[in-house]
Amino acid sequence: MKRLLLIVLLLSATTFSAVADKGMWLPSLISSRIKDMKSKGFKLSAEDIYSINKASLKDAVVLFDGGCTGEIVSEKGLLLTNHHCGYDAIQALSTVEHDYLTYGFWAKSHAEELPCPGLKVHILVRMEEVTERLAAGESKEQIIAKAEAEGVGFRASVESMYYGNIAYLFIYREFSDVRLVGTPPSAIGKFGADNDNWIWPRHTGDFSVFRIYANEQNEPAEYSASNKPYKPARHFKVSTKGVKEGDFTMIYGFPGNTQEYITSDAVRYISELSDPTKIALRTERLDIIGRAQATSAKIRLQYAAKHANIANAWKKWQGEVKGINRLGTVAKKLAYEERFRRENPDKAYLLDSLAAAYERNAEGYFNYELYSETIRGIELQRVVNIAFSSASEEAKMAAAELFYKDFVLEVDRQLAVAMLTQYEAKGTFISEELKALFAAHGGAKGYAEWLYDNTKLGSMEGFTVEAAKCDPMTEFVMALQPIMQRIKPYTYRNFSNIPDIERWFRPYVKALMEWDKSRAFFPDANLTLRVAYGKVAGYEYADGEYHLPQTTLEGIMEKDNPEIYDYNIPQSLRDVYATKDYGRWGVTMNGKYTVPVCFIATNHTTGGNSGSPVINGNGELIGINFDRTWLSTMSDIEFDETLCRNIICDIRYVLFVMDKVGGAGWLIDEMGI
Ligand code: ARG
Ligand code: GLU
C-alpha cells in the first residue's frame, strides 16, 4: 500500500506541476515538488531543504512553545518568532517595575538575556515513514521509546497523514533553556491589535527575539547559568534586498490544522452550525469583557490576553463562513462527490457511510463544542481544580495567586450567567446533577447568580483547600463531571477526526487519491513540519479595489493616534520618522523615502505558521509570517489562489526596529548583516 500511495503522490505531483501554489508539503518528499518550485524561482535543491546526511534548512526551523514556529538566524542560536508567539513568555517576565510588554526589552549582552521557565523549542532531527512498522505489529509507544533512546533530549511522536493511511515518526531535539533577547514595545509588536488582526493592509511589527542555550557538548539541557549559546547545524542568512510583486517565496514551518478533504456534510456543519454558534457565544463573552475593560485600566490589562485570544478565532470564523459561502464550497463538494459516485460506483458506499457517521456523531460533537465555548469560559471553576490537584500546599497557593492576579469576580459572574443560560438553552447533554441545580434556583440564570453570591472562593483571601471542600463552586464542578464523561468520545480537534468518522475517511481519501489524478494531495496540516511556496502578490479585495502587496512606515504614521491605545506608537518611532534617519533600512517606494513594514504572498499557511521563516529563491530570510488576510480565512477548508494571502513582517522592518528603536545593533552584527 505504501508504494501505491507514493506512486499516486508522485503522479499527481508531475501532472499538477506549475499549476497551484496550494499545498503544505512534507519536507522529506519535497523532491516531488522541486521541479515546480524551480520553475517559479527557487534556486536551491531538495537536499538544501531537508537532508539527514548534511546540514539543511530544516536544522534552522523550530517548533516554538508547542504551537508556533521560529527560525535560527545566527551561529549562536539567535531565534526569531512573532511577538504574539513570545507574548506569554514576555508577559511572565514583566512586572510593574519592568514592564517589558509595554516598553519593550533589549538585552545588551548575553548576560542580560532573560531565562524563560517552561518555554521549549523543538528542532526536527528527522522524519520517517513507519506505516509498515505499525502494520507489522510494533506499537506507537514502542516506536517512540526506541527513537527517544537514540539521543540526549530526543522527543518523538508518531503522526498519521491522510486520515491514517500513512504514519510518520518525527524525532526532535527538545531545548528547554530558551532566553528572551529582545522584544519591541507592544505599540509596535501588537500595533493595531484586534482591529487590524486578520486584516490587510497591515502595519504590525509582530516579532520577538530569543536565544537557545545548550550544555558544554551543545546538547539540550535544563537551564543553567553555565549553558552556552546553541550552535546550530545551519542558520538562515538574512537578505535585506527586499521583495517585489511576483518574487518566489517559501515558508518553512509548523501549520496546525487544515481540513481540505472533508465532505460537504462536514463543511455544512462548520459554516451553518458550528461557526455561527461559536461566533455568537464569543460575541457575548467579548461584550462582557470589553465593557469591563472600558471601566478601568487595571481590568483592561488583566483581560488583555484573554480578550485577544477569544477575539482571534471569533474574527477568523466570521471570515471563514463568509469565505465558504463566497466560494460555494458546499455546492462544489457536492458536485465532486456526485462525480466520485458516478465514476466509482463500487465505492459510493464510502460516501454513504461517511454521511451516516456524521449524522451519528453530530449531536455529540456539537455538545462537545458547546461545552468548550460556554462552560469552559467560566474561569472560577479552575480554582477548584487547583485546590484538589495533587500538588503541594505551597504550589497550590502559588497557582491560586497567579490565577487571581488576572481575575475579576464580577466579570466572571456575568460570564457565568450568560454562558450557563446559553448552555441550558442549547445543550442536550446536561447532567441530572446540573439540571437539579438549575431547577433549585429557577433555571440557569438564577443558579449562576446564586453560585457567585455564595461562593467563598471569589478571591485569594477566601481561597483555602478546606474552604473548597464545602464550597458551591465545587458542587458545580462535580455536576460537570458526568457531562465531561459524555462528551469524551467526541473530544477531537475536528469533527472528522472522531474515530467513528475517521475510519471511513481512511478508505475514502485513499480512493480519492487513486481516482483523482489531477489533484495534488498534500496531507492536511497537523503541526508537523511543512513547506509551502508561492509568490509575493497583491490581490483584488473588492470590485475595483486592488491591494498592493507591501506596506510602509507611511501607513503607520497615518494610523498613529495617541488617543487610541492600539494605535499609539512609541515616541522614539515618531522621532525617527521626523528626521527620516532610516540608515540602511530606508528605501524609496511609490516616490517616498520610507521603510518597508509588511508584505503578502500566496503561501498556503494556517495557525502554527506564525513565526515561520519566509525565504526567497536563494533560501535567504526575507520576513516572518504572522497572519492571513480577511478573505483567506476559509483556506483551512478551501484554499483559493486568487484570494488567499499570508501576511509577513518584512525582515527590514524587524532590523529597523532593532536598530533604531531598540538600539540593539549588536544583534544585527551577530546576524552578519
Ligand atoms: N491572527 C493571528 C493568528 O491567528 C494573530 C493573532 C494574535 N493577535 C491578536 N490580535 N489576537 O494567530
Ligand atoms: N496568527 C496565526 C498563528 O498564530 C497565523 C495566522 C493563520 O492562521 O494563518 O499561527
Side-chain angles (χ1 to χ4, degrees):
M1 187 186 73
K2 169 184 156 188
R3 180 154 307 136
L4 178 65
L5 276 172
L6 277 182
I7 291 168
V8 170
L9 276 173
L10 292 177
L11 274 177
S12 49
T14 40
T15 43
F16 215 66
S17 65
V19 181
D21 288 343
K22 166 174 161 168
M24 305 169 165
W25 307 96
L26 289 170
S28 63
L29 298 178
I30 203 65
S31 57
S32 71
R33 306 298 303 178
I34 209 79
K35 209 173 123 212
D36 186 39
M37 292 173 76
K38 290 210 160 149
S39 78
K40 291 172 176 171
F42 189 56
K43 306 244 165 49
L44 308 185
S45 67
E47 282 266 293
D48 290 318
I49 294 175
Y50 177 93
S51 171
I52 49 174
N53 303 313
K54 61 173 186 124
S56 60
L57 292 179
K58 78 135 173 58
D59 299 313
V61 184
V62 314
L63 175 65
F64 185 89
D65 203 16
C68 276
T69 306
E71 52 276 3
I72 303 175
V73 290
S74 86
E75 301 173 325
K76 292 181 186 154
L78 195 66
L79 187 66
L80 299 179
T81 186
N82 289 148
H83 182 264
H84 78 261
C85 295
Y87 197 88
D88 286 347
I90 301 165
Q91 181 172 40
L93 291 168
S94 295
T95 59
V96 179
E97 298 80 56
H98 302 283
D99 187 351
Y100 304 136
L101 218 39
T102 305
Y103 301 106
F105 166 79
W106 295 98
K108 297 268 172 287
S109 66
H110 290 325
E112 287 182 17
E113 295 172 357
L114 302 171
C116 304
L119 178 60
K120 290 182 169 45
V121 305
H122 292 83
I123 302 177
L124 186 68
V125 177
R126 66 169 200 274
M127 54 189 289
E128 63 193 40
E129 199 187 330
V130 292
T131 318
E132 287 178 349
R133 282 173 69 181
L134 287 168
E138 245 183 302
S139 73
K140 260 190 195 183
E141 290 69 29
Q142 287 167 329
I143 294 175
I144 289 172
K146 239 180 245 169
E148 291 189 344
E150 277 183 31
V152 177
F154 277 29
R155 289 279 174 277
S157 72
V158 171
E159 306 291 343
S160 95
M161 307 283 165
Y162 304 107
Y163 292 91
N165 280 301
I166 294 185
Y168 268 89
L169 166 68
F170 292 84
I171 308 178
Y172 303 92
R173 276 194 185 85
E174 178 181 276
F175 291 88
S176 42
D177 186 351
V178 183
R179 304 184 195 171
L180 178 67
V181 176
T183 174
S186 285
I188 288 176
K190 236 190 128 185
F191 182 74
D194 288 344
N195 308 303
D196 286 12
N197 194 20
W198 302 110
I199 298 289
W200 181 258
R202 188 68 151 274
H203 301 90
T204 312
D206 198 344
F207 79 95
S208 56
V209 191
F210 291 80
R211 190 187 302 282
I212 307 172
Y213 280 76
N215 68 15
E216 205 62 55
Q217 289 75 43
N218 203 37
E219 288 163 344
E222 288 301 313
Y223 169 80
S224 157
S226 64
N227 283 347
K228 302 262 165 352
Y230 170 64
K231 194 171 179 334
R234 176 92 180 237
H235 67 271
F236 284 101
K237 268 212 212 80
V238 172
S239 167
T240 55
K241 287 201 206 79
V243 295
K244 58 179 192 320
E245 184 128 27
D247 281 357
F248 175 89
T249 55
M250 176 186 131
I251 297 242
Y252 209 172
F254 289 87
N257 185 19
T258 62
Q259 308 184 69
E260 297 280 339
Y261 307 105
I262 54 174
T263 59
S264 52
D265 287 329
V267 180
R268 279 187 44 211
Y269 173 79
I270 292 168
S271 63
E272 291 172 15
L273 183 62
S274 172
D275 279 2
T277 306
K278 294 187 293 191
I279 292 163
L281 291 167
R282 287 197 178 200
T283 301
E284 273 195 68
R285 286 165 71 196
L286 289 168
D287 283 350
I288 291 168
I289 294 172
R291 268 199 307 274
Q293 284 180 305
T295 64
S296 112
K298 185 166 176 224
I299 300 180
R300 185 173 51 69
L301 275 179
Q302 285 177 308
Y303 279 78
K306 295 175 195 178
H307 190 283
N309 259 329
I310 300 168
N312 190 39
W314 168 78
K315 195 165 179 184
K316 185 207 148 180
W317 291 325
Q318 295 176 53
E320 186 169 86
V321 172
K322 284 210 171 89
I324 288 171
N325 292 336
R326 188 185 329 104
L327 293 180
T329 308
V330 171
K332 275 191 219 158
K333 293 246 176 196
L334 274 170
Y336 188 71
E337 287 154 22
E338 267 321 301
R339 193 157 71 81
F340 177 82
R341 280 178 191 278
R342 261 198 327 273
E343 296 178 19
N344 303 274
D346 58 322
K347 301 208 179 101
Y349 75 95
L350 291 173
L351 280 167
D352 299 330
S353 304
L354 269 172
Y358 276 122
E359 177 122 16
R360 255 197 317 278
N361 291 283
E363 189 189 359
Y365 198 69
F366 180 75
N367 269 273
Y368 155 59
E369 292 206 284
L370 183 68
Y371 185 90
S372 307
E373 291 293 324
T374 54
I375 307 264
R376 288 192 47 163
I378 303 171
E379 285 195 277
L380 195 53
Q381 59 182 309
R382 274 198 242 146
V383 299
V384 176
N385 299 330
I386 293 174
F388 297 113
S389 76
S390 57
S392 68
E393 189 67 25
E394 212 185 352
K396 286 180 190 181
M397 290 322 247
E401 194 86 60
L402 209 64
F403 171 85
Y404 289 114
K405 176 175 162 277
D406 290 332
F407 175 79
V408 177
L409 185 62
E410 184 48 34
V411 175
D412 209 48
R413 171 206 293 270
Q414 290 177 34
L415 288 173
V417 169
M419 291 302 104
L420 281 175
T421 304
Q422 290 288 358
Y423 188 66
E424 181 184 43
K426 299 194 172 72
T428 55
F429 278 19
I430 309 178
S431 65
E432 292 310 317
E433 291 84 343
L434 191 59
K435 277 186 194 157
L437 290 170
F438 287 173
H441 299 90
K445 182 170 184 297
Y447 169 63
E449 299 282 9
W450 176 86
L451 180 60
Y452 279 72
D453 283 343
N454 287 282
T455 180
K456 301 272 185 303
L457 304 179
S459 68
M460 191 64 208
E461 290 67 49
F463 177 84
T464 61
V465 176
E466 244 351 85
K469 280 184 186 154
C470 51
D471 195 88
M473 195 51 68
T474 304
E475 185 183 33
F476 172 56
V477 170
M478 295 304 293
L480 300 177
Q481 302 310 307
I483 307 176
M484 300 219 300
Q485 285 308 313
R486 250 185 108 185
I487 59 175
K488 207 167 165 196
Y490 308 97
T491 305
Y492 288 87
R493 197 164 46 154
N494 304 306
F495 193 8
S496 309
N497 295 124
I498 295 173
D500 184 34
I501 298 175
E502 199 174 271
R503 80 185 156 112
W504 293 108
F505 256 109
R506 201 166 308 138
Y508 172 62
V509 169
K510 182 163 178 271
L512 285 186
M513 292 169 104
E514 287 160 4
W515 165 66
D516 189 353
K517 301 282 194 283
S518 70
R519 191 168 176 184
F521 286 92
F522 58 92
D524 269 318
N526 57 358
L527 212 62
T528 59
L529 189 60
R530 302 298 176 90
V531 170
Y533 57 93
K535 58 176 185 293
V536 176
Y539 70 110
E540 190 180 324
Y541 171 75
D543 184 40
E545 188 175 345
Y546 187 77
H547 282 185
L548 296 174
Q550 174 98 239
T551 57
T552 67
L553 191 54
E554 308 312 306
I556 296 183
M557 300 316 297
E558 278 166 27
K559 287 179 178 172
D560 176 32
N561 184 344
E563 307 288 307
I564 305 176
Y565 185 82
D566 293 337
Y567 294 101
N568 181 11
I569 58 170
Q571 187 55 39
S572 55
L573 195 52
R574 286 184 198 119
D575 295 344
V576 180
Y577 182 74
T579 61
K580 299 256 182 301
D581 171 24
Y582 303 150
R584 344 179 222 177
W585 323 113
V587 297
T588 300
M589 280 178 69
N590 310 322
K592 275 194 178 129
Y593 184 64
T594 188
V595 180
V597 174
C598 294
F599 64 96
I600 50 176
T602 61
N603 303 286
H604 193 174
T605 57
T606 188
N609 272 123
S610 274
S612 295
V614 182
I615 62 175
N616 62 17
N618 298 320
E620 298 156 340
L621 189 72
I622 51 176
I624 309 174
N625 188 69
F626 71 98
D627 207 2
R628 274 175 288 169
T629 63
W630 179 242
L631 295 181
S632 310
T633 45
M634 74 299 176
S635 72
D636 296 348
I637 290 151
E638 183 179 353
F639 181 86
D640 176 351
E641 198 175 31
T642 60
L643 285 180
C644 290
R645 299 291 180 268
N646 56 315
I647 306 180
I648 299 151
C649 186
D650 195 306
I651 200 68
R652 293 170 294 174
Y653 186 55
V654 172
L655 298 168
F656 165 81
V657 170
M658 278 185 183
D659 185 8
K660 297 288 176 182
V661 180
W666 71 287
L667 297 175
I668 296 168
D669 295 341
E670 181 181 332
M671 286 183 251
I673 298 160

